[in-house]
Amino acid sequence: MSGFLEELLGEKLVTGGGEEVDVHSLAARGISLLGLYFGCSLSAPCAQLSASLAAFYGRLRGDAAAGPGAGAGPGPGAGAAAEPESRRRLEIVFVSSDQDQRQWQDFVRDMPWLALPYKEKHRKLKLWNKYRISNIPSLIFLDATTGKVVCRNGLLVIRDDPEGLEFPWGPKPFREVIAGPLLRNNGQSLESSSLEGSHVGVYFSAHWCPPCRSLTRVLVESYRKIKEAGQKFEIIFVSADRSEDSFKQYFSEMPWLAVPYTDEARRSRLNRLYGIQGIPTLIVLDPQGEVITRQGRVEVLNDEDCRGFPWHPKPVLELSDSNAVQLNEGPCLVLFVDSEDDGESEAAKQLIQPIAEKIIAKYKAKEEEAPLLFFVAGEDDMTDSLRDYTNLPEAAPLLTILDMSARAKYVMDVEEITPAIVEAFVNDFLAEKLKPEPI
């Protein structure tokens, strides 16, 4: 276990009081679950979470007081064998985005858990990218032995299971989480067993959210086309509306099913299951309940005729207005080509597809997100805007890796780009051999 943790966190962590803690000591203490808390001292929601998380942490670990450093002591004390399974087997590590060391020190001083040292800025950024953190505060739980993500939305764990009775909050099958009655907007009730044999879209949305309402209008047409084509497909609306009246008004526009608004526990469990960090989000599942894509929103907007349904992920995407938001999710390889011709774009996709498939397969085998997304960019307004924003040269073909969160770019400007050049570029990036340029 200590090997994985040291690779992830480095050799040293610090307590709120500034004392160093060896990462390998976590294994000796029998830590089975690791929480990564992403936040910042300047965020009011992070301050609120820290207070509630400290109480949760103290209860779960059985600490007499959740004061500074209470959770960071050495191995289990006397009587540990009689403690519930969860106690002293959880550790939390704060991963900060603070830019001011004094503000960071003031913020971590009262934390009973551990933190990455302030100076570990590069490691912090790698963690933000690795786990696709898009907003704060965020709390994810990992299996401390395998590194597998157990729960992507720990904020809901704190709210829904304040006593830690469901520790360690591992994912449950979709069939189990969705079990119960589902509604149509005419008041008809169906059992979730009616979904068997169907592809399912789990749609997280709310009436107060303008992008949600825009997507819903498109999704209604997509749903109709898929059903008319004879496909077994159903959508489940999981509301984030702020009142039942808003839910009913919004749901009246939808031809599919919904989790009852009053069933807050089931709605929350679905949010936890898929680690929802923002709306609208459309998760597409196969008939066995396994995730096909988390990017249903992008797929629906890019495929008006639904010819690609059920939208199995493509190793290489063609950059467009609707999928450009993915550039903010982590490092992205973007190959710019000097043509509006579809044939040239397709050739560029075929060029980088072998390495994309290899990287995706490697990380899928480890049940991890691939560390790179892969794009081809032709000549259009979107590409021009991206070049301007990142201050890229006008050359083409141009092979780049863009890391928006780090405001960094890596550029290979050569006359001819070959599969071997792409693979070497990617491998050097993953091995941290490339020198970044600022965006």
Side-chain angles (χ1 to χ4, degrees):
M1 176 173 75
S2 61
F4 155 71
L5 290 176
E6 287 186 358
E7 181 181 349
L8 189 74
L9 302 172
E11 296 181 356
K12 301 285 186 181
L13 298 170
V14 294
T15 67
E19 298 174 7
E20 288 191 339
V21 175
D22 290 332
V23 169
H24 66 73
S25 70
L26 299 183
R29 285 165 48 196
I31 298 301
S32 63
L33 196 70
L34 175 69
L36 295 181
Y37 167 20
F38 296 86
C40 175
S41 66
L42 300 179
S43 163
C46 289
Q48 293 170 357
L49 173 63
S50 292
S52 58
L53 183 57
F56 174 84
Y57 181 82
R59 284 194 301 270
L60 197 70
R61 290 172 51 85
D63 297 330
E83 292 179 336
E85 178 191 6
S86 61
R87 290 190 179 179
R88 314 210 69 82
R89 299 191 67 189
L90 167 72
E91 189 52 85
I92 293 173
V93 175
F94 179 56
V95 185
S96 168
S97 60
D98 280 288
Q99 301 300 311
D100 182 285
Q101 186 167 5
R102 179 166 293 181
Q103 290 174 338
W104 173 82
Q105 288 174 330
D106 290 343
F107 196 51
V108 302
R109 183 174 293 123
D110 294 328
M111 291 181 175
W113 46 80
L114 302 171
L116 276 179
Y118 178 80
K119 65 183 179 181
E120 289 273 21
K121 292 186 177 182
H122 180 63
R123 188 176 297 278
K124 293 175 188 177
L125 187 59
K126 285 178 65 178
L127 289 171
W128 283 66
N129 283 336
K130 179 179 179 67
Y131 296 109
R132 300 278 196 262
I133 303 301
S134 59
N135 55 13
I136 57 172
S138 286
L139 175 64
I140 65 172
F141 291 112
L142 312 176
D143 184 303
T145 301
T146 66
K148 183 178 178 181
V149 175
V150 173
C151 177
R152 289 185 175 275
N153 198 331
L155 306 186
L156 291 178
V157 167
I158 298 170
R159 189 191 74 181
D160 297 346
D161 186 26
E163 302 301 323
L165 301 179
E166 297 178 32
F167 180 90
W169 312 295
K172 297 178 180 178
F174 170 72
R175 184 179 293 105
E176 181 178 336
V177 177
I178 197 64
L182 299 169
L183 299 178
R184 291 206 180 276
N185 60 18
N186 62 3
Q188 180 187 5
S189 178
L190 298 173
E191 281 301 315
S192 58
S193 57
S194 65
L195 300 173
E196 290 184 11
S198 297
H199 287 85
V200 175
V202 189
Y203 184 35
F204 299 86
S205 186
H207 187 262
W208 54 261
C209 162
C212 294
R213 296 198 302 273
S214 297
L215 179 61
T216 295
R217 287 192 289 270
V218 178
L219 189 55
V220 167
E221 288 303 308
S222 299
Y223 178 80
R224 179 183 60 79
K225 290 174 183 176
I226 294 168
K227 300 284 271 188
E228 288 178 353
Q231 299 272 14
K232 293 194 70 176
F233 179 53
E234 193 51 80
I235 294 177
I236 309 299
F237 171 41
V238 183
S239 173
D241 287 295
R242 293 165 178 160
S243 71
E244 188 166 10
D245 286 343
S246 293
F247 162 76
K248 289 178 178 177
Q249 179 185 351
Y250 193 30
F251 187 38
S252 68
E253 305 168 11
M254 301 177 182
W256 45 73
L257 302 171
V259 175
Y261 185 80
T262 54
D263 196 343
E264 185 176 353
R266 190 163 30 145
R267 289 191 288 123
S268 183
R269 286 195 298 270
L270 286 163
N271 273 271
R272 279 169 51 186
L273 179 62
Y274 297 115
I276 302 304
Q277 295 190 33
I279 56 174
T281 295
L282 177 64
I283 311 284
V284 181
L285 311 178
D286 68 17
Q288 288 72 48
E290 299 297 323
V291 174
I292 293 176
T293 179
R294 299 177 59 86
Q295 298 294 338
R297 174 189 184 183
V298 171
E299 298 293 354
V300 166
L301 295 175
N302 269 346
D303 184 16
E304 290 184 6
D305 294 326
C306 304
R307 292 176 181 171
F309 177 82
W311 303 301
H312 289 278
K314 299 179 181 67
V316 183
L317 300 174
E318 193 159 347
L319 189 64
S320 67
D321 287 330
S322 57
N323 65 24
V325 66
Q326 292 178 257
L327 293 173
N328 296 311
E329 293 184 3
C332 297
L333 182 143
V334 184
L335 174 56
F336 293 87
V337 294
D338 186 18
S339 176
E340 297 178 356
D341 179 17
D342 288 343
E344 179 132 352
S345 293
E346 189 59 36
K349 280 193 259 186
Q350 294 302 318
L351 177 69
I352 61 178
Q353 184 157 323
I355 181 62
E357 290 176 338
K358 186 183 294 188
I359 294 295
I360 292 168
K362 175 182 176 180
Y363 284 85
K364 185 176 182 180
K366 297 192 292 184
E367 298 187 44
E368 293 183 14
E369 297 267 6
L372 274 173
L373 298 177
F374 296 82
F375 291 89
V376 167
E379 285 186 298
D380 54 26
D381 291 342
M382 166 56 66
T383 299
D384 290 343
S385 296
L386 181 59
R387 282 186 187 266
D388 290 344
Y389 179 75
T390 55
N391 196 26
L392 287 170
E394 292 297 326
L398 184 67
L399 184 62
T400 69
I401 291 175
L402 305 178
D403 188 346
M404 297 301 192
S405 60
R407 298 191 62 80
K409 63 187 177 188
Y410 307 81
V411 182
M412 177 166 283
D413 185 1
V414 294
E415 289 187 6
E416 182 181 3
I417 296 174
T418 66
I421 286 176
V422 174
E423 184 161 10
F425 186 55
V426 168
N427 289 339
D428 285 349
F429 170 77
L430 296 177
E432 301 184 13
K433 295 180 180 179
L434 301 179
K435 183 177 179 180
E437 300 175 44
I439 291 179

